[in-house]
Amino acid sequence: MWDRISPILPEMQLALWQTFYMVAVSVTIGVILGTLVGTLLYITRPGSLLKMPATNAVLNVFVNIFRSIPFLLLTIAIIPFTRLIVGTAIGTTAAIVPMTISCIPYFARLIESTLLEVNRGVIEAAESMGANRFQLVWKILYSEARAGFANNITILTVSFISYSTIVGIVGGGGIGDFAIRYGYNRYDTEIMMITIVLIIVIVQVIQSVGNLIVKRLDKRI
Amino acid sequence: MININDVSKKFQTADGEFNAVSSVSLNIEEGDIFGIIGFSGAGKSTLMRMINLLERPDSGAITVDGENILSLSRKELLKKRKTIGMIFQHFNLLTNRTVFDNVALPLELAGVSRKERKARVLECLETVDLLEKAKEYPAKLSGGQKQRVAIARAITTQPKVLLCDEPTSAVDPQTKEIILDYLKRIREELGITIVIVTHEMNVVTRICNKVAVMEHGKVVESFPLEEIPKIEPKSAISKILFNESNSVSEEPKEEGEFVYVG
Ligand SMILES: Nc1ncnc2c1ncn2[C@@H]1O[C@H](COP(=O)(O)OP(=O)(O)OP(=O)(O)O)[C@@H](O)[C@H]1O
Ligand SMILES: [Mg+2]
């Protein structure tokens, strides 16, 4: 098997690096902006910290729209926007744009549902202490939801490793594109299988590390 | 200390409006341990939550320590709340903070420096005899210990008033006595005014000096505790509750006595 892999090793390494680059950048931006949007979704809900039903409705519509466009179509549909942002619509950096745009609403929903699980009584206790809204979010909600956040980041990362296999269509490269080129275009099933196993291993590692962090952060039991 | 004047609160429900509290007036004096008793749904919690404006009344006036809380700006209200501690039936401790950090929270929110915080937190944990649990997380504590942490947390900012919403309803009878003893002690040591909502007459007879009986959103009777033996209860609910209280005072402090009403 090794003699089959060694000639294509440099190419495989490059593909792995591309995947890492695309996922790392889109997930990082997605986590930051998604946390912001998710928190806004939560605090503008009726009965929550801010009375802003209109903002909440608008945010919900936007999130739903971007959540419902299939990723492949989104990648193609926003090509003009991608060109505007990074100067080109082709290549690994260009592929980060649709991935990030997909990341934000996805993570926002994860964060919103995690925040909804925070015990109302704890928020009320902090309100009775005279906590202001910023403190309620920063010191209470985020503290209580931190294990959920770590879990959400794990879910997001795993999902977007999967999404990254699609952006070969705009020349994004990556490990998925590599597998398609060998397995599908060259009928080299063996290389494709090796690549799939590699992806499985990577996902397993990410999931295990994620679980470990969640366990560390969670003091509920 | 707390003056509630003709206060009402309605809730919108699926089948119309619901009067949770209607035209309630109460005067709670400095140093009182004031009991509010009644069956489930009587409006006790709603009434108590209006004292720190967790719930805003539709009409009426509330003054706490001489200040009309309904006229406060949001910023002033947040400051005012630091002078009104609160504890809850289900403790409401932060699960991801240690006991120490839970007790430190009100000080942290008030912007007290780390050093001052530490001294004060240790002092408060000492008051509830939980110094040795400072580094534990709440999940590792018993219900009674959690409530003691909540008491410590509620008194860190040296409030003048302590609101207790069914503080002993989620613990066993022995633990209940312990918690009530701590409340009594902090009342004596700190001169704090305590309001305690409960559905158990033995809680009232054990620590309160005054009691108000609530039913269907109204205060039906209200008097000092020493008058209970000679008073002729007017309402049906007072009759039920006071009969229980008599049996409690006839055979004082029977271990494990647990009157559950509602
Ligand atoms: N936010 C709310 N919206 C609608 N109805 C409410 C709300 N809060 C309380 N109520 C209703 O108001 C009534 C009084 O509630 P409250 O919690 O004050 O009663 P309680 O005397 O504390 O009862 P319990 O002993 O069960 O805690 C109940 O019928 C309750 O269903
Ligand atoms: Mg209640």
Side-chain angles (χ1 to χ4, degrees):
Chain A
M1 191 171 85
W2 180 244
D3 54 307
R4 294 280 290 103
I5 301 173
S6 58
I8 54 164
L9 206 56
E11 209 180 329
M12 207 163 171
Q13 267 174 345
L14 175 69
L16 273 174
W17 162 250
Q18 286 169 332
T19 297
F20 171 78
Y21 172 56
M22 291 188 291
V23 173
V25 175
S26 60
V27 164
T28 304
I29 302 175
V31 165
I32 294 167
L33 297 182
T35 301
L36 200 76
V37 176
T39 305
L40 276 174
L41 278 170
Y42 175 87
I43 64 176
T44 58
R45 265 176 165 255
S48 189
L49 306 182
L50 293 177
K51 242 202 190 96
M52 295 170 73
T55 310
N56 186 261
V58 171
L59 271 178
N60 262 309
V61 168
F62 264 97
V63 167
N64 287 344
I65 288 174
F66 281 99
R67 290 279 295 123
S68 49
I69 304 172
F71 183 62
L72 179 61
L73 297 186
L74 180 83
T75 303
I76 295 160
I78 65 158
I79 280 177
F81 177 73
T82 304
R83 197 173 280 131
L84 192 79
I85 298 274
V86 293
T88 169
I90 303 286
T92 312
T93 303
I96 289 173
V97 177
M99 282 179 70
T100 306
I101 285 177
S102 217
C103 258
I104 297 166
Y106 189 113
F107 199 67
R109 279 283 180 238
L110 289 176
I111 289 297
E112 184 194 23
S113 67
T114 299
L115 291 177
L116 282 170
E117 278 166 31
V118 173
N119 179 3
R120 275 290 314 169
V122 173
I123 300 167
E124 197 157 86
E127 281 185 303
S128 80
M129 294 168 202
N132 61 36
R133 295 184 188 110
F134 177 78
Q135 289 172 325
L136 286 175
V137 172
W138 192 249
K139 289 199 183 269
I140 312 299
L141 282 172
Y142 285 179
S143 158
E144 287 295 278
R146 65 187 196 183
F149 275 33
N151 196 34
N152 292 342
I153 293 173
T154 312
I155 294 172
L156 187 76
T157 309
V158 168
S159 299
F160 276 79
I161 286 177
S162 168
Y163 280 33
S164 79
T165 59
I166 294 174
V167 292
I169 193 150
V170 288
I175 195 73
D177 178 60
F178 175 85
I180 291 166
R181 273 189 286 121
Y182 277 86
Y184 185 69
N185 299 346
R186 298 192 201 170
Y187 304 105
D188 192 335
T189 323
E190 197 184 356
I191 294 293
M192 184 151 98
M193 281 309 170
I194 290 168
T195 317
I196 288 172
V197 170
L198 187 65
I199 295 175
I200 292 173
V201 170
I202 292 170
V203 168
Q204 289 295 332
V205 169
I206 291 171
Q207 190 65 55
S208 307
V209 171
N211 291 350
L212 206 75
I213 294 171
V214 170
K215 216 170 148 192
R216 282 252 166 142
L217 291 177
D218 195 352
K219 303 293 181 190
R220 272 177 296 191
I221 32 158
Chain B
M1 179 55 89
I2 302 169
N3 192 279
I4 299 171
N5 192 7
D6 199 19
V7 158
S8 299
K9 175 79 189 176
K10 284 195 282 275
F11 286 115
Q12 306 297 336
T13 58
D15 33 43
E17 284 183 341
F18 179 83
N19 290 307
V21 172
S22 29
S23 319
V24 166
S25 296
L26 279 181
N27 191 36
I28 299 168
E29 280 165 59
E30 188 163 355
D32 275 348
I33 301 189
F34 197 103
I36 299 173
I37 192 169
F39 297 128
S40 185
K44 312 179 294 290
S45 298
T46 308
L47 179 64
M48 168 171 277
R49 290 155 51 79
M50 289 195 280
I51 296 172
N52 58 2
L53 286 196
L54 285 180
E55 214 78 73
R56 199 165 264 277
D58 299 327
S59 61
I62 301 172
T63 57
V64 180
D65 198 18
E67 208 167 6
N68 175 2
I69 53 163
L70 292 168
S71 67
L72 298 177
S73 69
R74 193 179 156 79
K75 213 171 167 186
E76 288 167 335
L77 172 63
L78 296 185
K79 212 169 147 206
K80 184 74 181 176
R81 280 184 180 158
K82 293 180 170 52
T83 70
I84 307 172
M86 191 168 192
I87 63 171
F88 307 83
Q89 178 173 1
H90 297 293
F91 328 121
N92 295 347
L93 301 175
L94 273 78
T95 52
N96 290 333
R97 276 178 173 245
T98 60
V99 165
F100 184 97
D101 289 334
N102 261 287
V103 178
L105 181 63
L107 298 170
E108 219 176 295
L109 297 175
V112 175
S113 78
R114 187 177 290 268
K115 216 174 124 192
E116 273 175 78
R117 269 196 328 244
K118 185 167 182 198
R120 181 70 190 138
V121 169
L122 296 178
E123 207 177 315
C124 292
L125 280 176
E126 174 117 60
T127 307
V128 295
D129 298 312
L130 278 177
L131 266 181
E132 79 279 12
K133 298 286 183 192
K135 291 199 175 80
E136 295 285 4
Y137 285 92
K140 298 270 191 298
L141 305 181
S142 70
Q145 289 171 332
K146 283 183 198 165
Q147 196 60 293
R148 279 150 65 192
V149 173
I151 292 171
R153 183 175 72 172
I155 60 172
T156 44
T157 51
Q158 294 174 303
K160 299 197 164 160
V161 175
L162 179 61
L163 307 177
C164 314
D165 193 351
E166 311 251 13
T168 58
S169 298
V171 297
D172 61 62
Q174 280 85 353
T175 310
K176 175 160 82 175
E177 312 236 317
I178 294 170
I179 290 170
L180 293 178
D181 284 344
Y182 275 108
L183 287 177
K184 212 168 184 170
R185 209 165 92 196
I186 64 162
R187 143 84 191 79
E188 275 149 23
E189 285 172 12
L190 311 174
I192 207 168
T193 305
I194 296 180
V195 185
I196 181 163
V197 156
T198 181
H199 57 256
E200 294 166 306
M201 198 59 193
N202 59 5
V203 169
V204 172
T205 49
R206 193 175 170 92
I207 68 164
C208 296
N209 66 328
K210 288 180 194 152
V211 63
V213 183
M214 274 192 93
E215 193 179 20
H216 303 312
K218 292 200 171 72
V219 169
V220 288
E221 307 192 45
S222 164
F223 32 71
L225 227 60
E226 67 256 21
E227 284 179 18
I228 286 191
K230 27 182 189 170
I231 218 150
E232 200 54 54
K234 284 177 278 193
S235 61
I237 172 184
S238 298
K239 279 182 192 132
I240 300 172
L241 293 165
F242 294 166
N243 280 336
E244 275 155 17
S245 97
N246 289 340
S247 69
V248 172
S249 50
E250 274 158 24
E251 21 182 321
K253 211 180 163 212
E254 187 180 308
E255 205 59 44
E257 168 126 6
F258 189 56
V259 183
Y260 185 83
V261 189

